[in-house]
Amino acid sequence: MSDTVKNPAPAVAESAAPIPAVDPRLLVREEGLKGYLTEFQRKVRGGELGSIPVILGLIAIGVIFQSLDGSFLSADSLSNISIYVAGQGIMAVGIVFVLLLGEIDLSVGSVAGVGAAVWAVLSVSHGMSDGLAVLIAIAAGAVIGALHGFFFAKIGVPAFVVTLAGFLGWSGLQIWLMGGEGSINTPGGSIVEQLTNYYFEDIAAAYGLATAATAAYLGSMLLDSRRRKAAGLLGRPASEIALRAGVVGVLALVAAYELNQSRGLPLALVIFLAVLVLADFVVRRTTYGRQIFAVGGNAEAARRAGINVDKVRITVFVIAGTLAVVGGLFIASLSGGATKSLGAGNTLMNVIAAAVIGGTSLFGGRGKIWSALLGMLVIQSIQQGLNLLGMASEIQYMITGAVLLAAVVIDSVSRRTQKSAGRT
């Protein structure tokens, strides 16, 4: 009797058809405003705060000081803030690069002082061409940064120790360069003197810059969306692009209007914005910028991925040293000359605080160049408001310190929340 198998089971069940993956951002955008609100709530719960705290802080600062002194939001007051943010703001851009590595640079104040001293001695005391003296001073900052980077990356000395030694050593060099002179005044009409004293008085300058900035921002978003679609990725819808560009355009035009009600568009603000745009492009749009984030996130993983970690570290400190000197020249322009104490006092605190308050993490691998602008706006707005109220400098120190502590606490809590949410 032959064996027969009754009701044989299928050998292999056919596999179910794969379910296509859906980009969650597509669902968010399809839901419109409700979807964006839901996504915003999800990010906040997950610790992805971004620039929200600092923007809310700026709004609160404006409301509080305007209620206490009606001149806080006047055209002249806002113009002064735009001038004072430039020098230390440029220095803060260099600190952002360093913080992205997860390191710190304690020498920026004294490096700024050395740069200003080099320029003043060469240009004023020795009669060198003003432009050449400025270039030599900036080059000196780059060399100092390279020395810091070399001892950190090649020798293995912690950046904290290297730059602390630099803080002391370069301060001594600054005093030695100045010699018996307590200060060297900035000559009228010189490049350094013009940095914070030149204004584009034609109203077309401010409005033109605002229009150009808005157009560039719009063009950047359109180009990015087109590239993403060409690569088969999801791009921003036209409605979102229009809304973002509209908000930026309104803010830029309002700022231009206020500046034109005072003395016009300051050259210092133009240079500061140019530095921000260039640095932002380097960080977000170049391979070198991605390498900085990689090294800051995990240096060993970056090394195994083929990144020259030492080169990245050294060049970042070169950038920090260069921008420190540029900022020092702005400070010299504001104060009327180079002094033995230029870059001392609260300069270092303000520069580091600006980067951290603006949203750059002290733990490395996370931050944006524009945090230097946001953080410096917070600090200078507080100082401007307290000056209008006649508050003593020690009160300013205490309030700025409290704001810095709050920013670090927010950063720490944010990172912890992201870890618990599985996002880091």
Side-chain angles (χ1 to χ4, degrees):
M1 181 176 177
S2 62
D3 294 334
T4 59
V5 180
K6 297 180 179 181
N7 300 324
V12 180
E14 293 185 3
S15 59
I19 300 176
V22 179
D23 192 324
R25 292 173 298 179
L26 181 60
L27 299 177
V28 167
R29 288 164 181 168
E30 285 181 348
E31 293 178 359
L33 180 60
K34 179 182 177 182
Y36 281 103
L37 290 175
T38 302
E39 178 69 2
F40 173 76
Q41 294 173 355
R42 181 195 66 79
K43 287 184 175 182
V44 171
R45 287 195 299 268
E48 301 176 54
L49 300 178
S51 300
I52 297 173
V54 68
I55 292 175
L56 294 178
L58 280 171
I59 294 174
I61 290 169
V63 171
I64 292 172
F65 283 118
Q66 181 65 17
S67 64
L68 295 174
D69 189 307
S71 64
F72 177 74
L73 294 179
S74 67
D76 286 340
S77 176
L78 296 178
S79 179
N80 287 336
I81 291 175
S82 71
I83 294 293
Y84 281 95
V85 299
Q88 294 185 358
I90 290 173
M91 296 169 67
V93 172
I95 288 294
V96 170
F97 276 90
V98 177
L99 290 179
L100 289 177
L101 288 182
E103 303 299 335
I104 194 69
D105 188 347
L106 301 178
S107 68
V108 288
S110 56
V111 173
V114 167
V118 168
W119 163 79
V121 170
L122 292 179
S123 177
V124 180
S125 300
H126 291 83
M128 181 180 287
S129 165
D130 196 43
L132 181 58
V134 168
L135 291 177
I136 292 176
I138 294 175
V143 171
I144 290 173
L147 285 174
H148 292 164
F150 171 80
F151 282 105
F152 167 54
K154 295 294 187 180
I155 307 301
V157 182
F160 176 88
V161 177
V162 172
T163 56
L164 178 59
F167 167 76
L168 299 172
W170 304 127
S171 295
L173 177 61
Q174 175 185 357
I175 295 172
W176 179 80
L177 287 172
M178 296 295 294
E181 299 289 340
S183 64
I184 299 178
N185 294 331
T186 303
S190 66
I191 293 176
V192 173
E193 192 269 343
Q194 294 294 311
L195 288 178
T196 59
N197 290 282
Y198 184 84
Y199 294 82
F200 298 94
E201 297 180 355
D202 190 336
I203 63 172
Y207 287 124
L209 179 61
T211 303
T214 304
Y217 181 64
L218 174 61
S220 174
M221 287 191 295
L222 291 173
L223 181 60
D224 183 67
S225 180
R226 180 180 300 177
R227 287 176 175 174
R228 292 182 65 84
K229 289 179 180 179
L233 301 174
L234 184 67
R236 287 193 177 99
S239 58
E240 181 182 346
I241 292 176
L243 177 61
R244 286 172 175 263
V247 171
V248 170
V250 169
L251 293 176
L253 289 173
V254 168
Y257 172 80
E258 291 294 335
L259 291 174
N260 281 332
Q261 298 308 302
S262 182
R263 289 163 288 184
L265 176 64
L267 174 62
L269 181 61
V270 175
I271 296 175
F272 183 27
L273 292 177
V275 171
L276 286 168
V277 170
L278 178 59
D280 181 66
F281 175 81
V282 170
V283 168
R284 293 196 305 114
R285 300 293 184 181
T286 66
T287 301
Y288 174 70
R290 291 188 288 271
Q291 289 175 348
I292 293 175
F293 280 102
V295 174
N298 190 318
E300 185 56 34
R303 183 177 285 107
R304 294 185 180 184
I307 296 175
N308 189 334
V309 174
D310 291 348
K311 177 182 177 181
V312 171
R313 285 173 167 170
I314 292 174
T315 52
V316 162
F317 277 94
V318 169
I319 292 172
T322 301
L323 294 181
V325 170
V326 175
L329 296 177
F330 274 82
I331 296 173
S333 178
L334 274 174
S335 60
T339 66
K340 292 182 177 180
S341 60
L342 190 149
N346 63 346
T347 300
L348 174 63
M349 180 193 72
N350 284 347
V351 169
I352 296 178
V356 177
I357 291 171
T360 300
S361 176
L362 279 170
F363 304 98
R366 187 180 60 169
K368 296 180 179 179
I369 293 298
W370 290 93
S371 63
L373 171 62
L374 292 175
M376 193 53 64
L377 281 175
V378 169
I379 292 174
Q380 290 298 336
S381 296
I382 291 174
Q383 293 183 353
Q384 176 75 359
L386 293 177
N387 286 334
L388 290 174
L389 296 175
M391 294 289 185
S393 60
E394 56 266 24
I395 302 297
Q396 298 183 23
Y397 287 170
M398 288 188 284
I399 293 178
T400 305
V403 173
L404 173 59
L405 177 60
V408 176
V409 169
I410 291 173
D411 181 34
S412 300
V413 172
S414 173
R415 289 179 65 87
R416 188 178 304 170
T417 304
Q418 290 187 46
K419 280 187 177 180
S420 62
R423 297 187 180 279
T424 56

